[in-house]
Each structure stands twice: as structure tokens, then as C-alpha cells.
Amino acid sequence: MKNILIKALAGVMLTVGATGCGDKFLDTKIYDAVDLETGLSTPSSLGYALNGVYTRLYYYYFAGNYATTMGDLASDITYWNGKTSHQNASYEFTYLDTYYGFNYIWNYGYKVADNAARIIKAGNELLPEANADEAAEINLYMAESYALRAYATFVLTNVFGHQVKVDGQDYSSMPGVVIVNEPIQAFSEVSRSTIGECYTAVLNDLDASLRAFDAAGTYNTSIISFNPASVYGLMARVKLYLEDYSGAKDAAKKALQLKGISSLAYTDADYAKLYSSELSNSESLFALAIDDSNNWSANSCGTLFTTYCYGPSPYLVSLYGDNDVRKSIMYWTNSGGDAYEEYGDITPYFGGGKFGTGSFNAVNGGNPANQTNYLINAPEMFLIQAEADAKLGNLTDAQSELLVVAKRNADITSVADLPADAAGIMSFIQDERARELFQEGHRFWDLRRWNITTNLYAYDAPNINYTIKNVKVGDVVFPIPADEINAGFGVAQNEGWAATRPQ
């Protein structure tokens, strides 16, 4: 069988958009190409190539669907009505090492990492001879490339390695993934680094990204480009997983300061506006360039959460208060599009939620496939600060940070409405992350790092029932794709992965 990693790295042509990096990605047909062996010789060629890296990230095989949605599908907060079979291997925990979803994530994650590494290498070679304007341009492209490589490496490590920290237990010495510090030549022998080494590489890239932004003296302000705010946001997430609570809190605070966000939307109308049109989420730090012209149609997240039959589980619905604004974008339909009460039909179809409001509302003739993925967002930053402070014993600060998000429930108006003890605050944060971050792909990784008892594979809506009950997922490890292992280029399988699969 052909090696997936090599397939991701072997090509010498990087497909790119016809616009420069400073323009909106994917505005035009992706028809141009840069020869990665000889073509990255000018600042503008780096910009074209960077467009291509964003395209790899945006693809539905990676951040545009599979690498993002897996975190929700394999959890307690998502419900599948059983009418289609898209991605249900994750939902039912019936996956094998041949599961196509793992192939997709592995393949395109390495496309992002390798292509970004090529831009970084070429940029460093160009800098010594560049004038001031050229150096600023090169540093900008390198800054975004470092961030993109960090994002890909983090996702790959998280999906194909053990959780780095599980409720205080350190697993950083276990196998991670192949680190791409330099472009990897086709058919070369490779090996997996440890999880700890992978996290170090991610943080090194994020630090390098921030230094390059400083050197550039500028950055793209659009949320479809990495910029310092979104780099700090990703850093906060990474440090939270590492249980570096002080570092996570500081990075989240910096992300919010750079974005200028101190409060959120607290009315039904204002909340719905966040998801009403193209890139309308003013609370987002980083998103994909998905719109009515550039989307994945049947392979989109909007389709997954509508006609492909996924939606919030009855358990998740039960976590929302009656006056929670987040319920304003939750509705159910039948296949003909008539509005239903919550789970009022034996086979309900979710209306899309964050992918199906405003102009994307299928009932009103919109197309949820055209809505984007908001990948790094301000509410997560407030919740990271709250969790960090709860773990550090700063309970008053934790309450204040938690309140910013918890006020989405109109019945919560002050810290007096929140728990006051450490255990109560932490329990509330766990539920609040479920309520707030649904459809953003965090839940399974949260359950894994907290290692709390949970239930999986929901059925029998509107009743709260699960097929897999009372399990802990702290030790769940997913398999490296079989094609990669069978190719024999040095990537070793996760030993005993099948025994960790929840049953």
C-alpha cells in the first residue's frame, strides 16, 4: 500500500490561489502552482504558496470538517438520528485502523505541516539578501506559516497520540507524531517523536510566529488569516492541555486584549447575528474562508449537522437554561423543512445551529454548507482563563471570567449565581464548555483530559440514553492509519489502541 505520509509530502508542486496572501483566500480559482524545489525564490512566491497552505488547512479532510468535528461526534453532546452513516465510526466507536477519517486527517495534516515548513525554509534563505520592504513581507508569510505548522502538529498529536496530560498524569514520554522541522523528502525513513517533543515543537513554532510578526511590523486583520491574537489563542489552548495554567491564562488574556474583546453577545438577536452571514462572528479570532463560492457542499460541516443527521444530544439540550440565548439557534426539522419541536418527530433533523442560522437557514432557503468553521474564539479564551484560575486556586477571578460566558443564560446575572467552591466552579466550567463550544470540536478532548466518567453513543431521543455508559476516556488512543504503517517507512503503530476503544 502507498504510504500516506509520503503521499502528503512527495509532490513538488504546491497548488495555490491566484491572489496574494494579503487578499482573501480562495477568492479565485485555484489554478496556479509554485514549484517547491525551485519556485520559492521571491517574497511574492511565498505569498502564493502560503495561500496553498491555507487551502490545505481549509480542506474538509482536515480543519474544514474531519479534524474539527471528530471532537464533538465522539462525545456525549452530539446525537445521530441513524438515517445516514457519515462519520459514524467515530460516533459509535467502531473505528478500525482503516477508517477513512483517520486517513484524511493524517494526510492533510502533513500537507499543511510540510508545505508550511517549505515556506519557512525558503523565507529564511531569502531574508539575508532582502531589503526592508521585502523582509517585512517575508516575515509576515513566515509568521503565518509557523502558526499553520503549529496548528497542524497540535491537531495531529492530539488525534494520533495519547492526551499529553490527563488530570495531572503526564504522558509526554509516549509516542506522538512525526515532527516536520524541515521539509521531508519523499520515501525517506521517518520516526515518531514523543508527545512532549511534539508539544515543544508546537510552542516553539508559536513563539517563532510571534517573533516574525514583530519583525514584519504588520499582520492581516481578517480572521481568515493567522495574526498575533489567534496565535495567542492557539497557545492558550495548547498550554491548557499541558496543564500550564499560568501560561494558558496569560496567553488567553493576551489574545482577548489584542482582539479588544471584554464581553459577549447576551440577547437572542445578538447571538444569532454571530452566525448570520459570512464571517459575521465578531467574537472569533480565527476562521476558515468558507462561503457561498468556496465550500465543501455535501462534505461540509453544515451538511453534517443537518441532512447528515447530527445535532445536539438530549443531554446537551438539558444543560441549557430556559433563557439561554444559545438555544435561539437550535431548532429541528423534518426532511421537508417544516419546523419541529425539540425532538418532536421520531426522526428529527437538526437545523444546523452555528452552521444553520441567518442566511444559512435551510428552512428559509439558505445553505448551511456555506457557513464557515470558527476555530479559535473569544468565549473559549474566557473559559480557559476561568479553568486556569480554578486550578490555581484563584476562585474569585475564576468566577469573574466564567461569568462573561455564563451570562449567555439570562438567568445568570452575577457571580452570586455561580458556584463559590473549587469543585463546584470546575463542574460548572465543564458544563459551560459543553454548552458554549458545541460544534467547535472540543468535547472529546475535554473528556479525555479531565478523565471524568461519561456516556457515549446517544440514542432514543428525546430520552437521555446512551449505548456506552459510565466510561472514562483518559487513555483512549486512536490508531495511526494502516496504510502508513504497512508502507514500512518507519512510523510505528500505537500499541494496544483497540483495547482503549470505549465499549
Side-chain angles (χ1 to χ4, degrees):
M1 297 184 182
K2 233 177 169 183
N3 177 289
I4 296 173
L5 175 57
I6 296 304
K7 280 165 54 179
L9 306 180
V12 297
M13 301 296 287
L14 174 59
T15 304
V16 298
T19 57
C21 178
D23 300 320
K24 182 179 174 183
F25 303 113
L26 311 173
D27 264 347
T28 61
K29 275 191 171 181
I30 301 168
Y31 66 87
D32 201 359
V34 173
D35 186 322
L36 292 179
E37 299 300 326
T38 62
L40 297 181
S41 57
T42 65
S44 60
S45 68
L46 298 187
Y48 288 124
L50 180 59
N51 246 8
V53 186
Y54 276 104
T55 303
R56 303 305 199 231
L57 179 82
Y58 152 100
Y59 206 70
Y60 72 88
Y61 286 170
F62 199 57
N65 189 333
Y66 282 84
T68 302
T69 57
M70 181 180 175
D72 276 341
L73 301 190
S75 79
D76 58 343
I77 62 172
T78 301
Y79 185 81
W80 169 59
N81 73 18
K83 288 296 183 180
T84 70
S85 60
H86 294 271
Q87 297 174 238
N88 64 345
S90 295
Y91 181 77
E92 297 176 319
F93 289 90
T94 57
Y95 51 80
L96 300 173
D97 56 359
T98 54
Y99 172 49
Y100 59 85
F102 295 142
N103 291 336
Y104 293 162
I105 296 169
W106 182 271
N107 190 355
Y108 267 73
Y110 276 108
K111 286 182 184 291
V112 174
D114 178 73
N115 294 169
R118 293 174 185 272
I119 295 171
I120 293 165
K121 184 176 188 298
N124 280 319
E125 292 171 351
L126 291 173
L127 275 175
E129 302 299 324
N131 61 37
D133 289 340
E134 291 171 337
E137 187 177 1
I138 292 167
N139 275 302
L140 176 60
Y141 300 145
M142 289 174 63
E144 294 184 40
S145 296
Y146 278 120
L148 286 160
R149 186 170 68 178
Y151 189 96
T153 304
F154 174 64
V155 170
L156 288 167
T157 304
N158 205 41
V159 172
F160 295 109
H162 195 287
Q163 192 79 26
V164 63
K165 292 284 184 73
V166 178
D167 192 25
Q169 295 295 308
D170 189 347
Y171 294 90
S172 59
S173 63
M174 293 186 67
V177 294
V178 180
I179 296 174
V180 188
N181 285 324
E182 291 281 336
I184 298 176
Q185 297 302 310
F187 309 111
S188 59
E189 191 81 4
V190 295
S191 62
R192 298 170 66 183
S193 298
T194 67
I195 294 171
E197 289 168 339
C198 291
Y199 269 79
T200 296
V202 170
L203 290 175
N204 286 343
D205 273 350
L206 294 175
D207 286 338
S209 175
L210 293 171
R211 290 195 299 271
F213 276 123
D214 284 343
T218 186
Y219 56 85
N220 293 309
T221 58
S222 170
I223 61 173
I224 61 173
S225 303
F226 264 109
N227 57 45
S230 49
V231 170
Y232 275 112
L234 179 56
M235 183 183 293
R237 186 184 300 171
V238 172
K239 291 189 174 184
L240 181 71
Y241 281 27
L242 284 167
E243 297 184 357
D244 174 6
Y245 295 120
S246 294
K249 176 184 177 179
D250 290 345
K253 182 178 180 180
K254 188 68 173 178
L256 291 168
Q257 288 175 336
L258 288 171
K259 187 66 177 179
I261 294 177
S262 59
S263 63
L264 304 174
Y266 298 116
T267 68
D268 288 356
D270 286 344
Y271 186 75
K273 283 179 183 178
L274 297 177
Y275 306 99
S276 64
S277 59
E278 182 185 343
L279 299 178
S280 56
N281 190 341
S282 58
E283 298 174 0
S284 183
L285 281 62
F286 182 64
L288 301 179
I290 296 173
D291 57 26
D292 60 347
S293 300
N294 305 285
N295 60 74
W296 301 118
S297 187
N299 295 302
S300 69
C301 290
T303 302
L304 188 71
F305 282 105
T306 53
T307 56
Y308 285 170
C309 307
Y310 286 98
S313 69
Y315 168 67
L316 176 61
V317 173
S318 75
L319 293 181
Y320 293 101
D322 291 339
N323 296 310
D324 196 310
V325 301
R326 289 166 292 205
K327 294 181 67 176
S328 66
I329 62 171
M330 288 188 172
Y331 62 92
W332 284 258
T333 72
N334 65 9
S335 57
D338 298 324
Y340 269 46
E341 296 295 325
E342 291 177 9
Y343 299 106
D345 180 58
I346 193 170
T347 307
Y349 290 78
F350 187 50
K354 292 175 179 177
F355 296 98
T357 188
S359 60
F360 309 106
N361 188 323
V363 172
N364 296 332
N367 187 353
N370 299 347
Q371 176 60 290
T372 192
N373 298 51
Y374 294 107
L375 296 178
I376 303 173
N377 305 307
E380 181 194 357
M381 298 300 106
F382 288 110
L383 292 172
I384 287 174
Q385 289 185 97
E387 183 172 348
D389 272 321
K391 292 293 188 178
L392 292 169
N394 306 323
L395 301 188
T396 300
D397 287 345
Q399 285 181 307
S400 297
E401 292 146 356
L402 180 56
L403 181 64
V404 178
V405 183
K407 286 194 299 183
R408 301 268 212 206
N409 179 352
D411 294 329
I412 296 176
T413 60
S414 72
V415 294
D417 298 316
L418 299 173
D421 63 292
I425 291 173
M426 192 61 211
S427 179
F428 194 100
I429 289 169
Q430 290 170 346
D431 287 347
E432 194 64 23
R433 283 183 67 92
R435 286 185 285 260
E436 178 61 40
L437 304 180
F438 175 60
Q439 297 184 295
E440 295 178 25
H442 298 275
R443 183 61 173 180
F444 179 80
W445 319 117
D446 282 346
L447 294 172
R448 199 169 68 160
R449 66 188 179 84
W450 294 326
N451 201 30
I452 58 176
T453 300
T454 190
N455 302 302
L456 304 167
Y457 186 178
Y459 74 100
D460 194 32
N463 300 305
I464 300 175
N465 278 319
Y466 290 90
T467 303
I468 303 171
K469 298 180 180 180
N470 300 318
V471 295
K472 291 186 175 182
V473 297
D475 286 325
V476 172
V477 178
F478 299 109
I480 304 293
D483 280 0
E484 181 63 57
I485 303 302
N486 294 338
F489 285 95
V491 177
Q493 184 57 276
N494 288 319
E495 293 184 10
W497 65 266
T500 73
R501 188 170 47 196
Q503 298 180 25

